[in-house]
Amino acid sequence: MCGANMRPPPKASFAAAFASSSKCERVERAQVHGAACVALATVERALARKATVVRVSCSGFGDTGTIAIADLLANAPEGVATNVHMRGCDIGDAGACALAVALRERAHGVRSLDLCENRIGAAGAAALAAALPDHRSLRSLLLCHNRIGDTGMYALGNQLAASGVTLLAVSDNGISYRGARALAAALDHGLPLRAVGSLALVLDGNEIGDEGATAIAPLLAAGAVESLSLASCSIAERGAAALAAATTSTSSRCIDLELRGNAVGEGGAVEVARALRSGARLERLSLSACRVTLRGARAIADALDRAPTLRTLDVGGNHLDDIAAHAFAVALERTPNLQVLGIGSDRITSAGVQRLTLAVRRNSSIADV
């Protein structure tokens, strides 16, 4: 089992296991067969032609195959394999640890690492986190649909401030409000250390609730997070209100807020509208399927002419009716900056659609409704 304090072994450690000049011989030693042999050979050819993108998609690849790839990546020349995609490869903690060692050994190069849809747990996340300060060229780390949990989130949070990562995606990882709190506390403590600007955080599908949302909100207010996606995170009115208020801070850099699939409700929508009227710099806002009522929809519609930066708004999936459609149509006619409005609803009749269509004709800046 590897840990966050794991130090890289000598480069020969991987090479000794896969030293054959024949790729298929290496694969046999690693007990990886069939499609995995082809995938590994594909990676070697990509590196030989100095490709910048290395893509592996093989469900049976597993940790042993990943260790072989880690060996290749650790020894890749500068400018090669800058984007590594290994989705759905059955990578566990051992494979993640091997990739972490490769990142530490190779002080340059990889800018994007996609490990979504694997089975990486807290130990693997901790190993990857520990490698981040040694590989500051890494900008994008995608770990969606794994098993890192609160412990893995804590480990990643502790290293983010000292890393070069600007996009961290950890959707559907069993993270609770405790993990969100740990992330927020670590980032808040390390803000003075960050030299690469604001973060984009994707936490969709983790049940962080209002407690997690209110813990993250200060990061928006401090300018640490530029884009925040919290779709289907069990957030209700209190959490939505905290996030909305944070976007009005003069230090906030948040331009993209995704709250799709949460129980924001009428009160939360009203608070979001208040934020739009109070200086929020949001360029994109999604309240799709958020239980927004007519009163909440009207409040948002009335705030649009006070939100000059907002370009995209999604309030679809809230069962809004023709009255709401009319409110948004009126808003569209006096709002020159909004370009895309999502308002799909099974309760809007042809009359509501016609009213929205007329508003679009009167406002040439609208690209899509």
Side-chain angles (χ1 to χ4, degrees), residues 142-189:
L142 310 182
L143 291 168
C144 301
H145 306 286
N146 279 284
R147 309 169 184 175
I148 72 170
D150 291 335
T151 303
M153 188 72 267
Y154 175 80
L156 287 167
N158 279 337
Q159 300 296 342
L160 273 180
S163 77
V165 172
T166 56
L167 168 60
L168 175 66
V170 288
S171 300
D172 296 298
N173 264 283
I175 299 165
S176 74
Y177 72 90
R178 295 182 180 87
R181 277 181 177 175
L183 170 66
L187 280 177
D188 181 62
H189 180 72

Short mmCIF file of all heavy atoms in Angstrom, two decimals, residues 142-189:
data_model
loop_
_atom_site.label_atom_id
_atom_site.label_comp_id
_atom_site.label_asym_id
_atom_site.label_seq_id
_atom_site.Cartn_x
_atom_site.Cartn_y
_atom_site.Cartn_z
N LEU A 142 -8.22 15.01 -13.51
CA LEU A 142 -9.60 14.53 -13.56
C LEU A 142 -9.69 13.16 -12.89
O LEU A 142 -9.08 12.19 -13.34
CB LEU A 142 -10.07 14.42 -15.01
CG LEU A 142 -9.84 15.66 -15.90
CD1 LEU A 142 -10.42 15.43 -17.29
CD2 LEU A 142 -10.44 16.90 -15.27
N LEU A 143 -10.46 13.10 -11.81
CA LEU A 143 -10.60 11.87 -11.03
C LEU A 143 -12.07 11.50 -10.81
O LEU A 143 -12.41 10.85 -9.81
CB LEU A 143 -9.90 12.03 -9.67
CG LEU A 143 -8.37 12.12 -9.69
CD1 LEU A 143 -7.84 12.57 -8.33
CD2 LEU A 143 -7.76 10.78 -10.07
N CYS A 144 -12.94 11.90 -11.71
CA CYS A 144 -14.37 11.64 -11.54
C CYS A 144 -14.65 10.14 -11.53
O CYS A 144 -13.95 9.36 -12.16
CB CYS A 144 -15.15 12.29 -12.68
SG CYS A 144 -14.93 14.07 -12.79
N HIS A 145 -15.69 9.75 -10.80
CA HIS A 145 -16.15 8.36 -10.74
C HIS A 145 -15.05 7.42 -10.26
O HIS A 145 -14.75 6.41 -10.88
CB HIS A 145 -16.68 7.91 -12.12
CG HIS A 145 -17.73 8.80 -12.68
ND1 HIS A 145 -19.03 8.82 -12.21
CD2 HIS A 145 -17.69 9.74 -13.66
CE1 HIS A 145 -19.73 9.71 -12.88
NE2 HIS A 145 -18.94 10.30 -13.76
N ASN A 146 -14.45 7.78 -9.14
CA ASN A 146 -13.53 6.91 -8.44
C ASN A 146 -14.03 6.71 -7.01
O ASN A 146 -15.23 6.84 -6.77
CB ASN A 146 -12.10 7.47 -8.48
CG ASN A 146 -11.39 7.17 -9.79
OD1 ASN A 146 -10.95 6.06 -10.03
ND2 ASN A 146 -11.29 8.18 -10.65
N ARG A 147 -13.13 6.45 -6.08
CA ARG A 147 -13.54 6.13 -4.70
C ARG A 147 -12.69 6.87 -3.68
O ARG A 147 -12.37 6.32 -2.62
CB ARG A 147 -13.44 4.63 -4.46
CG ARG A 147 -14.12 3.75 -5.50
CD ARG A 147 -13.74 2.30 -5.33
NE ARG A 147 -14.32 1.46 -6.38
CZ ARG A 147 -14.05 0.16 -6.51
NH1 ARG A 147 -13.22 -0.44 -5.66
NH2 ARG A 147 -14.61 -0.54 -7.48
N ILE A 148 -12.32 8.10 -3.94
CA ILE A 148 -11.33 8.76 -3.09
C ILE A 148 -11.92 9.16 -1.74
O ILE A 148 -11.19 9.24 -0.75
CB ILE A 148 -10.70 9.98 -3.79
CG1 ILE A 148 -11.68 11.14 -3.90
CG2 ILE A 148 -10.17 9.60 -5.16
CD1 ILE A 148 -11.03 12.42 -4.35
N GLY A 149 -13.20 9.45 -1.64
CA GLY A 149 -13.83 9.78 -0.37
C GLY A 149 -13.28 11.04 0.28
O GLY A 149 -12.51 11.80 -0.31
N ASP A 150 -13.67 11.24 1.53
CA ASP A 150 -13.23 12.43 2.27
C ASP A 150 -11.73 12.44 2.51
O ASP A 150 -11.09 13.49 2.47
CB ASP A 150 -13.97 12.51 3.61
CG ASP A 150 -15.44 12.80 3.44
OD1 ASP A 150 -15.82 13.38 2.40
OD2 ASP A 150 -16.22 12.45 4.34
N THR A 151 -11.16 11.26 2.77
CA THR A 151 -9.72 11.19 3.06
C THR A 151 -8.91 11.58 1.83
O THR A 151 -7.93 12.33 1.93
CB THR A 151 -9.35 9.76 3.50
OG1 THR A 151 -10.12 9.40 4.65
CG2 THR A 151 -7.87 9.69 3.87
N GLY A 152 -9.32 11.08 0.67
CA GLY A 152 -8.62 11.46 -0.56
C GLY A 152 -8.78 12.92 -0.87
O GLY A 152 -7.84 13.58 -1.34
N MET A 153 -9.98 13.47 -0.61
CA MET A 153 -10.22 14.89 -0.84
C MET A 153 -9.35 15.74 0.07
O MET A 153 -8.82 16.78 -0.34
CB MET A 153 -11.70 15.20 -0.60
CG MET A 153 -12.12 16.61 -1.00
SD MET A 153 -12.20 16.87 -2.79
CE MET A 153 -10.58 17.51 -3.16
N TYR A 154 -9.19 15.31 1.31
CA TYR A 154 -8.32 16.01 2.26
C TYR A 154 -6.88 16.04 1.75
O TYR A 154 -6.21 17.09 1.79
CB TYR A 154 -8.39 15.31 3.62
CG TYR A 154 -7.46 15.87 4.66
CD1 TYR A 154 -7.77 17.03 5.35
CD2 TYR A 154 -6.25 15.24 4.94
CE1 TYR A 154 -6.91 17.55 6.31
CE2 TYR A 154 -5.37 15.75 5.89
CZ TYR A 154 -5.71 16.90 6.57
OH TYR A 154 -4.84 17.41 7.51
N ALA A 155 -6.40 14.90 1.25
CA ALA A 155 -5.03 14.83 0.75
C ALA A 155 -4.83 15.75 -0.45
O ALA A 155 -3.84 16.49 -0.53
CB ALA A 155 -4.68 13.40 0.38
N LEU A 156 -5.77 15.75 -1.37
CA LEU A 156 -5.67 16.61 -2.55
C LEU A 156 -5.72 18.08 -2.15
O LEU A 156 -4.95 18.90 -2.66
CB LEU A 156 -6.79 16.29 -3.53
CG LEU A 156 -6.66 14.97 -4.30
CD1 LEU A 156 -7.97 14.63 -4.98
CD2 LEU A 156 -5.53 15.07 -5.34
N GLY A 157 -6.63 18.41 -1.24
CA GLY A 157 -6.74 19.80 -0.80
C GLY A 157 -5.46 20.33 -0.20
O GLY A 157 -5.07 21.48 -0.44
N ASN A 158 -4.78 19.49 0.56
CA ASN A 158 -3.55 19.93 1.22
C ASN A 158 -2.42 20.24 0.25
O ASN A 158 -1.49 20.98 0.60
CB ASN A 158 -3.08 18.86 2.21
CG ASN A 158 -3.82 18.92 3.52
OD1 ASN A 158 -4.38 19.96 3.87
ND2 ASN A 158 -3.85 17.82 4.25
N GLN A 159 -2.48 19.69 -0.96
CA GLN A 159 -1.39 19.91 -1.92
C GLN A 159 -1.77 20.86 -3.05
O GLN A 159 -0.90 21.30 -3.80
CB GLN A 159 -0.95 18.57 -2.51
CG GLN A 159 -0.43 17.56 -1.50
CD GLN A 159 0.84 18.01 -0.82
OE1 GLN A 159 1.54 18.90 -1.29
NE2 GLN A 159 1.15 17.40 0.33
N LEU A 160 -3.04 21.17 -3.20
CA LEU A 160 -3.47 22.00 -4.33
C LEU A 160 -2.80 23.37 -4.33
O LEU A 160 -2.42 23.88 -5.38
CB LEU A 160 -4.99 22.17 -4.32
CG LEU A 160 -5.82 21.09 -5.02
CD1 LEU A 160 -7.29 21.42 -4.90
CD2 LEU A 160 -5.41 20.96 -6.48
N ALA A 161 -2.70 23.98 -3.16
CA ALA A 161 -2.17 25.34 -3.10
C ALA A 161 -0.73 25.41 -3.60
O ALA A 161 -0.32 26.42 -4.19
CB ALA A 161 -2.26 25.88 -1.67
N ALA A 162 0.02 24.35 -3.39
CA ALA A 162 1.43 24.33 -3.81
C ALA A 162 1.62 23.73 -5.18
O ALA A 162 2.76 23.53 -5.62
CB ALA A 162 2.25 23.55 -2.78
N SER A 163 0.52 23.45 -5.88
CA SER A 163 0.61 22.82 -7.19
C SER A 163 0.30 23.83 -8.29
O SER A 163 -0.02 24.98 -8.04
CB SER A 163 -0.40 21.66 -7.27
OG SER A 163 -1.72 22.17 -7.46
N GLY A 164 0.38 23.35 -9.53
CA GLY A 164 0.00 24.19 -10.66
C GLY A 164 -1.37 23.86 -11.20
O GLY A 164 -1.76 24.37 -12.25
N VAL A 165 -2.13 23.01 -10.51
CA VAL A 165 -3.43 22.56 -11.00
C VAL A 165 -4.43 23.71 -11.02
O VAL A 165 -4.59 24.43 -10.03
CB VAL A 165 -3.97 21.41 -10.11
CG1 VAL A 165 -5.41 21.07 -10.48
CG2 VAL A 165 -3.08 20.18 -10.24
N THR A 166 -5.09 23.88 -12.16
CA THR A 166 -6.15 24.89 -12.29
C THR A 166 -7.52 24.26 -12.51
O THR A 166 -8.52 24.95 -12.45
CB THR A 166 -5.84 25.85 -13.45
OG1 THR A 166 -5.68 25.10 -14.66
CG2 THR A 166 -4.58 26.64 -13.18
N LEU A 167 -7.57 22.95 -12.79
CA LEU A 167 -8.84 22.24 -12.91
C LEU A 167 -8.75 20.94 -12.14
O LEU A 167 -7.92 20.08 -12.44
CB LEU A 167 -9.17 21.94 -14.38
CG LEU A 167 -10.33 20.96 -14.63
CD1 LEU A 167 -11.63 21.48 -14.02
CD2 LEU A 167 -10.50 20.67 -16.11
N LEU A 168 -9.62 20.80 -11.13
CA LEU A 168 -9.72 19.56 -10.37
C LEU A 168 -11.15 19.06 -10.46
O LEU A 168 -12.08 19.75 -10.04
CB LEU A 168 -9.34 19.77 -8.90
CG LEU A 168 -9.52 18.55 -7.99
CD1 LEU A 168 -8.56 17.44 -8.40
CD2 LEU A 168 -9.33 18.91 -6.53
N ALA A 169 -11.34 17.87 -11.02
CA ALA A 169 -12.67 17.28 -11.17
C ALA A 169 -12.73 15.99 -10.37
O ALA A 169 -11.98 15.05 -10.65
CB ALA A 169 -12.98 17.02 -12.64
N VAL A 170 -13.61 15.96 -9.38
CA VAL A 170 -13.73 14.80 -8.50
C VAL A 170 -15.20 14.40 -8.33
O VAL A 170 -15.65 14.04 -7.23
CB VAL A 170 -13.07 15.05 -7.12
CG1 VAL A 170 -11.56 15.06 -7.23
CG2 VAL A 170 -13.58 16.36 -6.51
N SER A 171 -15.98 14.48 -9.39
CA SER A 171 -17.39 14.13 -9.32
C SER A 171 -17.58 12.67 -8.90
O SER A 171 -16.75 11.81 -9.23
CB SER A 171 -18.05 14.32 -10.69
OG SER A 171 -17.95 15.66 -11.12
N ASP A 172 -18.66 12.40 -8.18
CA ASP A 172 -19.06 11.03 -7.84
C ASP A 172 -17.94 10.23 -7.20
O ASP A 172 -17.50 9.21 -7.70
CB ASP A 172 -19.57 10.31 -9.10
CG ASP A 172 -20.83 10.96 -9.64
OD1 ASP A 172 -21.84 10.98 -8.93
OD2 ASP A 172 -20.79 11.47 -10.78
N ASN A 173 -17.45 10.73 -6.07
CA ASN A 173 -16.37 10.07 -5.35
C ASN A 173 -16.70 9.81 -3.89
O ASN A 173 -15.79 9.54 -3.10
CB ASN A 173 -15.09 10.93 -5.43
CG ASN A 173 -14.17 10.49 -6.55
OD1 ASN A 173 -13.47 9.48 -6.43
ND2 ASN A 173 -14.18 11.23 -7.65
N GLY A 174 -17.97 9.88 -3.53
CA GLY A 174 -18.33 9.61 -2.15
C GLY A 174 -17.82 10.64 -1.17
O GLY A 174 -17.53 10.33 -0.01
N ILE A 175 -17.71 11.90 -1.62
CA ILE A 175 -17.23 12.98 -0.77
C ILE A 175 -18.41 13.61 -0.04
O ILE A 175 -19.43 13.91 -0.65
CB ILE A 175 -16.49 14.04 -1.61
CG1 ILE A 175 -15.27 13.41 -2.29
CG2 ILE A 175 -16.07 15.23 -0.76
CD1 ILE A 175 -14.69 14.26 -3.40
N SER A 176 -18.28 13.81 1.26
CA SER A 176 -19.34 14.41 2.06
C SER A 176 -18.97 15.85 2.42
O SER A 176 -17.96 16.39 1.95
CB SER A 176 -19.58 13.59 3.32
OG SER A 176 -18.51 13.79 4.25
N TYR A 177 -19.75 16.44 3.29
CA TYR A 177 -19.44 17.81 3.74
C TYR A 177 -18.09 17.85 4.44
O TYR A 177 -17.42 18.89 4.43
CB TYR A 177 -20.55 18.33 4.67
CG TYR A 177 -20.59 17.69 6.04
CD1 TYR A 177 -19.86 18.23 7.10
CD2 TYR A 177 -21.33 16.55 6.28
CE1 TYR A 177 -19.89 17.65 8.36
CE2 TYR A 177 -21.37 15.97 7.53
CZ TYR A 177 -20.64 16.52 8.57
OH TYR A 177 -20.66 15.93 9.82
N ARG A 178 -17.67 16.74 5.02
CA ARG A 178 -16.36 16.72 5.69
C ARG A 178 -15.23 16.92 4.68
O ARG A 178 -14.28 17.66 4.93
CB ARG A 178 -16.17 15.40 6.43
CG ARG A 178 -17.13 15.19 7.59
CD ARG A 178 -16.83 13.87 8.30
NE ARG A 178 -17.76 13.64 9.41
CZ ARG A 178 -18.94 13.04 9.28
NH1 ARG A 178 -19.34 12.61 8.09
NH2 ARG A 178 -19.71 12.86 10.33
N GLY A 179 -15.33 16.26 3.54
CA GLY A 179 -14.32 16.44 2.50
C GLY A 179 -14.34 17.83 1.93
O GLY A 179 -13.29 18.42 1.65
N ALA A 180 -15.55 18.40 1.77
CA ALA A 180 -15.67 19.77 1.27
C ALA A 180 -15.06 20.75 2.26
O ALA A 180 -14.36 21.70 1.87
CB ALA A 180 -17.13 20.11 1.02
N ARG A 181 -15.30 20.53 3.53
CA ARG A 181 -14.71 21.38 4.57
C ARG A 181 -13.19 21.30 4.55
O ARG A 181 -12.49 22.32 4.65
CB ARG A 181 -15.20 20.96 5.95
CG ARG A 181 -16.55 21.49 6.36
CD ARG A 181 -16.85 20.98 7.75
NE ARG A 181 -18.10 21.48 8.29
CZ ARG A 181 -18.61 21.09 9.45
NH1 ARG A 181 -17.98 20.17 10.17
NH2 ARG A 181 -19.74 21.60 9.89
N ALA A 182 -12.67 20.08 4.43
CA ALA A 182 -11.22 19.89 4.41
C ALA A 182 -10.60 20.59 3.21
O ALA A 182 -9.55 21.24 3.32
CB ALA A 182 -10.89 18.40 4.38
N LEU A 183 -11.24 20.46 2.05
CA LEU A 183 -10.75 21.13 0.85
C LEU A 183 -10.74 22.64 1.04
O LEU A 183 -9.75 23.32 0.73
CB LEU A 183 -11.63 20.76 -0.34
CG LEU A 183 -11.40 21.54 -1.64
CD1 LEU A 183 -10.02 21.25 -2.20
CD2 LEU A 183 -12.49 21.22 -2.66
N ALA A 184 -11.85 23.17 1.56
CA ALA A 184 -11.96 24.61 1.74
C ALA A 184 -10.92 25.13 2.73
O ALA A 184 -10.27 26.16 2.49
CB ALA A 184 -13.36 24.97 2.22
N ALA A 185 -10.74 24.41 3.83
CA ALA A 185 -9.78 24.85 4.84
C ALA A 185 -8.35 24.83 4.31
O ALA A 185 -7.57 25.76 4.54
CB ALA A 185 -9.89 23.97 6.08
N ALA A 186 -8.02 23.77 3.56
CA ALA A 186 -6.66 23.66 3.01
C ALA A 186 -6.39 24.75 1.99
O ALA A 186 -5.32 25.36 1.99
CB ALA A 186 -6.47 22.28 2.39
N LEU A 187 -7.35 24.99 1.10
CA LEU A 187 -7.16 26.02 0.09
C LEU A 187 -7.10 27.41 0.70
O LEU A 187 -6.30 28.25 0.29
CB LEU A 187 -8.28 25.95 -0.94
CG LEU A 187 -8.15 24.87 -2.02
CD1 LEU A 187 -9.36 24.87 -2.92
CD2 LEU A 187 -6.88 25.07 -2.84
N ASP A 188 -7.95 27.65 1.69
CA ASP A 188 -7.94 28.95 2.35
C ASP A 188 -6.59 29.21 3.01
O ASP A 188 -6.03 30.31 2.93
CB ASP A 188 -9.05 29.02 3.39
CG ASP A 188 -9.10 30.36 4.10
OD1 ASP A 188 -9.34 31.38 3.41
OD2 ASP A 188 -8.91 30.41 5.32
N HIS A 189 -6.04 28.18 3.65
CA HIS A 189 -4.74 28.32 4.31
C HIS A 189 -3.62 28.52 3.29
O HIS A 189 -2.65 29.25 3.55
CB HIS A 189 -4.46 27.07 5.14
CG HIS A 189 -3.13 27.10 5.84
ND1 HIS A 189 -2.89 27.91 6.93
CD2 HIS A 189 -1.97 26.45 5.58
CE1 HIS A 189 -1.64 27.75 7.34
NE2 HIS A 189 -1.06 26.86 6.54
#
